Amino acid sequence: MKHGLITVAAAVPAVKVADVEHNVLEIEKLVANAEGQGVEIICFPELAITGYSCQDLFKEQLLLQKAEEGLMMLMNFTRKLNIICVVGMPIQAGGLLLNCAVVVQSGQLLGIVPKTYLPNYNEFYEKRWFASAQDLNPTDLYLAGSHIAISAMPKIFQTAGGVKFGVEICEDVWAPLPPSNNLTMAGADIILNCSASDDLIGKHSYLRSLVAQQSARTISGYVYASCGFGESTQDVVYGGNAMIFENGRLLVEGERFSFQPQIQVTQIDIERLRTERATNSTFINAQREAKAEVVECRAVELAEFKMLRSVNPHPFIPADADMAASCEEILNIQTAGLAKRLLHTNCQHVVVGISGGLDSTLALLVCVRTFDKLGLDRKGIVGVTMPGFGTTDRTHDNATSLMQTLNISQMEISIAKAVTQHFEDIGHDMSKHDVTYENAQARERTQILMDLANKLNAMVVGTGDLSELALGWATYNGDHMSMYGVNAGVPKTLIQYLIRYMAQLPQFNAQQATLLDIVDTPISPELTPADAQGNIQQKTEDLVGPYELHDFFLYYFLRFGFRPTKLFFLACHAFKGKYERETIKHWLTTFCRRFFNQQFKRSCLPDGPKVGSVSLSPRGDWRMPSDASNALWVKECEAL
């Protein structure tokens, strides 16, 4: 395991029913393939050594003896390998025949897990041949040249890297209380399921949902391998399911009904799972009584680590297939939050500063949706443009066009005269374009909005977004302040998608061209003068870094508590070919510095709705002292 990632595989060999030697050779081929890919744990189907569909042949001593010899073959094959193999086979224990999974590593038999729940319906009459783990008394076996104990006691296997995994077999996961419940409550990070599930119309989607839900419910990785081509088709067909989930999310899935052996390889993020568990009080409460025996796996030297799983460079952005539904959900949350605040305060007017930029545009559109939903006159929305020393024609024209076509109340109040007077009052040289020059403009604009709100019995709707809050890219008691911040839970990268989405809606057809131009406008506070051609000169991403990088850091930093080394590793993988490693390191260091240094602004935020899994509200998801040191994080960044 490296960077908290462990490489696992689900394998489906092509078997011949009751031909143990053939089956073991096929298993060995897949094991060798997996070892070459750096796989640390591989899961095979139920009864893979003999084939699942042997039926009454399981009563034959010759088959059982050959199964044991097959296990010895596999153990010998793995003697010089590091990989942990989990394979299904029948095992005799005293007077019982058990459907088991064996755990093998480096020529050693580490443990045996007997199946608990045996189906006895339709075509599956396992109770005809096998006993349940519930029928088993603890027994010492001499199996495949090894002395080993077998019992119904739940077993958790722990790798040298500290990853814990448990095993259940096929029907176990369909039970009302699957063994994986107890195993994960007792500490298993990953569940391996050696399965043999036939395929029927509609069954696969149900199975997929079942395994996904079990993975989500237990906040675990789940590796599912079910038998496929080569099993008897006397009455049913086995399609060969190979699926790997992480906390309910499908990472990889094999081809069903393949005539060839297959292996699905990916990496499960153990640190991510453990962070989720540590912050989930329901999971913490549920695990109090869980118990299991822990079996230590052999320590190994792993080959060079290679990243196998994909990393989404834009974790806040919904998948294309879900984009419309997700955008509607986000907008509905923002709309519902603002509507409740308006109704609670009996307020029928809002004041919004409109700059022609992304944030104020989204805030205005949310206000329009809210007023329409409440049946209020849009004239109750007062949009205020406040041109200053850096305002360009492009943003000004977009702002005025948007307000006019949306049929809201429109005001324009230049801040130039008031700010110039203010500079005279405090003795500031206007030619010095420093933080005083910039912040005085932001505070003047906020003062205008607040005073107008008092005059109109209105509410100031804030426009600042989640990304700006993370970086502290807001003037304290300037645009930092409002009476309700509708964008507080929406990152900058997502705002662009939301506006593009709304631009395609029929009700905003008249605003479409303006909205798309706003999306394409460089992000800027426009607090310093434009260039000689009247174009935006002060570009935010030139100063604090690309928002797509900062949003990436923000998501994984807040959601999973990842340290800088892992953030850097993931970002280098996600943005390979777009940003150089040194560039990522630079902006990651900036993120860590700014995130800590600017907490004081987040400690006194106005109310605003949470829309996703990440929020910076000091009353909700993120509670951090304003004077916490960033030394540990910055030092690790500098050492990258």
Side-chain angles (χ1 to χ4, degrees):
M1 182 173 72
K2 190 170 184 181
H3 297 295
L5 298 166
I6 185 168
T7 307
V8 298
V12 182
V15 304
K16 289 184 179 180
V17 178
D19 190 340
V20 171
E21 185 174 350
H22 171 273
N23 295 341
V24 172
L25 289 174
E26 290 296 310
I27 289 169
E28 289 174 354
K29 289 177 185 177
L30 293 176
V31 169
N33 182 328
E35 175 84 4
Q37 296 187 58
V39 171
E40 296 166 70
I41 308 173
I42 185 170
C43 179
F44 287 91
E46 184 176 7
L47 298 168
I49 285 179
T50 58
Y52 176 77
S53 49
C54 291
Q55 299 188 51
D56 281 358
L57 292 178
F58 285 124
K59 298 179 180 181
E60 295 296 317
Q61 288 300 313
L62 179 59
L63 181 65
L64 300 178
Q65 178 190 331
K66 289 300 180 182
E68 183 175 351
E69 291 175 5
L71 174 59
M72 292 178 71
M73 288 173 57
L74 180 60
M75 290 169 62
N76 187 59
F77 178 79
T78 64
R79 198 167 299 280
K80 294 184 179 181
L81 304 181
N82 294 323
I83 191 170
I84 299 169
C85 306
V86 182
V87 186
M89 66 174 290
I91 291 177
Q92 281 187 309
L96 303 180
L97 181 62
L98 300 166
N99 180 346
C100 297
V102 293
V103 181
V104 174
Q105 182 190 26
S106 302
Q108 297 179 351
L109 178 59
L110 300 180
I112 305 171
V113 178
K115 187 172 183 177
T116 301
Y117 298 104
L118 305 177
N120 204 43
Y121 52 85
N122 298 336
E123 298 81 14
F124 301 101
Y125 303 105
E126 285 190 31
K127 288 187 178 180
R128 178 182 175 94
W129 311 296
F130 298 107
S132 165
Q134 296 169 327
D135 302 318
L136 176 64
N137 291 320
T139 304
D140 291 325
L141 296 180
Y142 184 72
L143 179 69
S146 302
H147 289 280
I148 193 162
I150 181 171
S151 72
M153 178 69 178
K155 284 185 174 61
I156 290 177
F157 300 85
Q158 180 168 282
T159 72
V163 178
K164 295 180 178 181
F165 68 91
V167 181
E168 62 186 3
I169 303 173
C170 196
E171 188 78 8
D172 288 347
V173 74
W174 297 75
L177 290 174
S180 51
N181 284 13
N182 179 73
L183 291 168
T184 51
M185 294 301 103
D189 304 295
I190 301 172
I191 297 298
L192 309 178
N193 189 319
C194 302
S195 184
S197 184
D198 66 325
D199 278 87
L200 304 169
I201 294 175
K203 184 177 180 180
H204 176 68
S205 61
Y206 184 90
L207 171 65
R208 204 165 178 257
S209 175
L210 175 70
V211 178
Q213 284 296 318
Q214 186 64 3
S215 170
R217 185 178 297 107
T218 57
I219 314 180
S220 65
Y222 203 104
V223 183
Y224 183 93
S226 181
C227 58
F229 186 71
E231 291 287 356
S232 172
T233 58
Q234 184 175 7
D235 291 304
V236 293
V237 170
Y238 300 88
N241 284 294
M243 304 180 288
I244 302 177
F245 292 84
E246 179 184 281
N247 194 15
R249 183 169 66 98
L250 181 66
L251 300 181
V252 291
E253 183 175 20
E255 177 189 352
R256 295 168 62 217
F257 304 110
S258 171
F259 293 169
Q260 302 299 322
Q262 60 174 308
I263 180 171
Q264 296 299 315
V265 179
T266 190
Q267 284 151 344
I268 293 174
D269 194 330
I270 302 301
E271 289 180 347
R272 183 169 178 160
L273 292 171
R274 289 177 178 174
T275 299
E276 292 277 21
R277 288 180 176 183
T279 56
N280 188 313
S281 59
T282 302
F283 185 94
I284 293 170
N285 292 339
Q287 54 83 45
R288 292 174 181 170
E289 302 300 323
K291 294 179 181 179
E293 174 189 352
V294 177
V295 179
E296 297 288 340
C297 299
R298 178 176 173 267
V300 298
E301 291 186 13
L302 296 176
E304 181 183 354
F305 181 85
K306 295 180 181 178
M307 186 66 164
L308 300 177
R309 61 188 273 162
S310 62
V311 180
N312 184 358
H314 304 113
F316 286 109
I317 308 302
D320 288 343
D322 303 324
M323 182 63 72
S326 295
C327 287
E328 274 298 316
E329 188 82 358
I330 292 164
L331 293 167
N332 285 336
I333 291 171
Q334 292 179 281
T335 299
L338 179 59
K340 170 62 179 176
R341 186 54 53 94
L342 291 174
L343 291 173
H344 177 72
T345 56
N346 195 27
C347 181
Q348 298 188 4
H349 295 82
V350 295
V351 175
V352 192
I354 309 299
S355 68
L358 290 169
D359 295 345
S360 65
T361 297
L362 178 60
L364 175 57
L365 294 174
V366 169
C367 289
V368 168
R369 283 173 61 108
T370 304
F371 271 59
D372 289 351
K373 195 160 187 175
L374 291 175
L376 298 176
D377 187 346
R378 286 190 185 182
K379 291 296 183 180
I381 302 171
V382 181
V384 187
T385 51
M386 295 168 283
F389 307 127
T391 302
T392 61
D393 290 342
R394 180 179 184 179
T395 56
H396 178 267
D397 292 348
N398 280 337
T400 54
S401 171
L402 198 59
M403 290 187 287
Q404 289 168 1
T405 56
L406 288 171
N407 197 31
I408 67 168
S409 297
Q410 182 179 349
M411 296 181 68
E412 181 163 312
I413 303 173
S414 172
I415 64 169
K417 183 177 179 180
V419 174
T420 300
Q421 179 62 52
H422 181 59
F423 286 156
E424 291 180 9
D425 293 341
I426 65 173
H428 182 73
D429 182 357
M430 283 190 63
S431 65
K432 190 177 180 180
H433 297 166
D434 59 5
V435 67
T436 304
Y437 180 88
E438 294 185 17
N439 286 353
Q441 296 176 70
R443 292 194 179 100
E444 177 60 25
R445 285 176 171 137
T446 300
Q447 175 178 275
I448 289 170
L449 296 176
M450 291 288 182
D451 292 345
L452 273 175
N454 289 156
K455 180 180 179 181
L456 301 172
N457 192 27
M459 177 184 300
V460 175
V461 173
T463 61
D465 63 56
L466 183 66
S467 306
E468 293 178 343
L469 294 175
L471 297 171
W473 193 250
T475 299
Y476 193 80
N477 203 34
D479 51 317
H480 158 258
M481 193 50 58
S482 68
M483 295 170 183
Y484 195 74
V486 292
N487 295 340
V490 188
K492 189 77 76 178
T493 49
L494 181 55
I495 289 177
Q496 295 173 321
Y497 281 83
L498 288 170
I499 294 175
R500 279 200 187 98
Y501 165 73
M502 285 196 280
Q504 308 305 319
L505 297 178
Q507 59 264 45
F508 295 117
N509 186 59
Q511 295 81 34
Q512 184 180 82
T514 301
L515 292 175
L516 293 177
D517 190 60
I518 288 171
V519 171
D520 292 335
T521 301
I523 300 168
S524 172
E526 293 191 315
L527 295 173
T528 59
D531 63 17
Q533 290 73 42
N535 297 318
I536 293 173
Q537 185 166 257
Q538 184 187 29
K539 297 179 181 179
T540 300
E541 291 182 294
D542 291 344
L543 301 171
V544 297
Y547 272 115
E548 65 176 351
L549 279 179
H550 285 306
D551 283 358
F552 182 90
F553 301 146
L554 176 65
Y555 178 82
Y556 288 106
F557 178 80
L558 287 186
R559 188 75 175 80
F560 304 109
F562 288 164
R563 61 192 298 169
T565 50
K566 186 159 184 177
L567 292 173
F568 178 72
F569 169 77
L570 293 175
C572 287
H573 186 76
F575 294 100
K576 186 176 182 180
K578 185 168 187 179
Y579 297 106
E580 298 294 330
R581 292 171 63 88
E582 282 303 312
T583 301
I584 294 172
K585 174 183 174 180
H586 173 74
W587 293 122
L588 175 58
T589 307
T590 298
F591 173 83
C592 290
R593 284 200 176 103
R594 291 193 67 99
F595 187 86
F596 278 77
N597 294 345
Q598 301 294 314
Q599 172 62 29
F600 74 98
K601 295 179 182 177
R602 299 189 293 267
S603 293
C604 54
L605 283 180
D607 292 347
K610 176 181 177 180
V611 302
S613 58
V614 170
S615 166
L616 283 169
S617 169
R619 299 165 295 276
D621 287 24
W622 189 250
R623 306 182 192 193
M624 171 183 171
S626 297
D627 44 11
S629 171
N630 63 23
L632 291 177
W633 287 263
V634 171
K635 185 176 181 180
E636 185 161 296
C637 286
E638 292 172 343
L640 292 171

